Amino acid sequence: LKGGAGLGGLALLGCHMPETTALPEQVLFWDDFEDSTLDLTKWSCEHAMRRENDLQLYSKEKAAVENGCLVLTARRENGQILSGSVHTAGKFEFGPGTRVSIRARLESGYGAWPAIWMQASRFTEEFPQEIWPAGGEIDLMEAYLPEDGSETTVHGYDTAGVLRHQSLQCPAVQLEHWHLYEMEWTGE
């Protein structure tokens, strides 16, 4: 996201999950993971890092490309929970008039909390994490396993400076199947 998204002008389409989608006229970012390794011109791996109060430690060894898929793994090893996490911060930005489509499937596991989320570019460059969600955050998909189903949430401040969280509960589906998660930023 470029700048703060706010809560207006954003259509959350995360609960409509067709198996295929037509490509827009102009593609800003695309990765079909054809190579055997992660394309580091598009992605960065978090490594030796904990976010907020997470029990997991992010490790670049837990992010891999296998059979045309990005695979992020979480495992308990030597008394620690290690997990994969990738991001595109500093690699590209988008703004109003953009549609984001991500095809994903999840493996269930007790205590897992997988998410596909976006933050404003200024959040990672200008502001420390302690003031979240000043830059805004959009959870395109956030699941609380082992339950089926997910939610989509926009976190941010409105024009009056009030912190808002707008969520959309998605119907229960089998998350281990492939689904298409989408968002369209209308800019209105």
Side-chain angles (χ1 to χ4, degrees):
L1 299 174
K2 186 173 185 177
L7 295 181
L10 187 65
L12 300 178
L13 307 174
C15 291
H16 175 67
M17 300 177 200
E19 291 301 316
T20 61
T21 186
L23 289 176
E25 290 181 26
Q26 181 182 9
V27 176
L28 299 175
F29 181 91
W30 174 267
D31 199 337
D32 53 11
F33 304 104
E34 287 183 339
D35 295 331
S36 60
T37 59
L38 196 62
D39 182 345
L40 297 179
T41 66
K42 297 178 180 179
W43 302 96
S44 295
C45 293
E46 293 183 315
H47 186 68
M49 181 244 177
R50 291 186 199 278
R51 189 178 299 109
E52 299 172 7
N53 295 317
D54 285 351
L55 296 177
Q56 64 192 346
L57 178 68
Y58 293 105
S59 170
K60 63 184 176 187
E61 288 80 22
K62 298 301 177 190
V65 174
E66 298 174 6
N67 301 318
C69 296
L70 170 63
V71 178
L72 302 174
T73 305
R75 296 275 186 263
R76 184 179 300 271
E77 295 178 8
N78 301 320
Q80 286 195 40
I81 301 169
L82 300 177
S83 178
S85 178
V86 297
H87 63 83
T88 60
K91 307 284 185 175
F92 85 104
E93 298 178 349
F94 62 91
T98 305
R99 184 176 88 201
V100 175
S101 300
I102 299 171
R103 191 167 178 255
R105 71 178 183 91
L106 311 172
E107 291 189 17
S108 63
Y110 183 77
W113 191 359
I116 301 167
W117 50 277
M118 299 167 279
Q119 291 180 322
S121 60
R122 70 185 189 112
F123 181 80
T124 57
E125 294 169 4
E126 297 175 21
F127 297 104
Q129 191 167 3
E130 288 76 28
I131 62 169
W132 175 94
E137 176 179 314
I138 299 170
D139 299 318
L140 188 56
M141 183 285 304
E142 190 168 25
Y144 306 96
L145 302 176
E147 298 87 12
D148 284 340
S150 61
E151 70 180 24
T152 299
T153 305
V154 176
H155 308 273
Y157 289 91
D158 65 17
T159 55
V162 177
L163 177 60
R164 304 283 185 186
H165 307 278
Q166 182 180 349
S167 292
L168 176 65
Q169 291 295 118
C170 297
V173 296
Q174 294 178 322
L175 294 172
E176 67 274 6
H177 294 183
W178 288 101
H179 296 286
L180 184 65
Y181 299 93
E182 292 189 303
M183 174 203 78
E184 188 170 333
W185 188 352
T186 64
E188 295 174 8

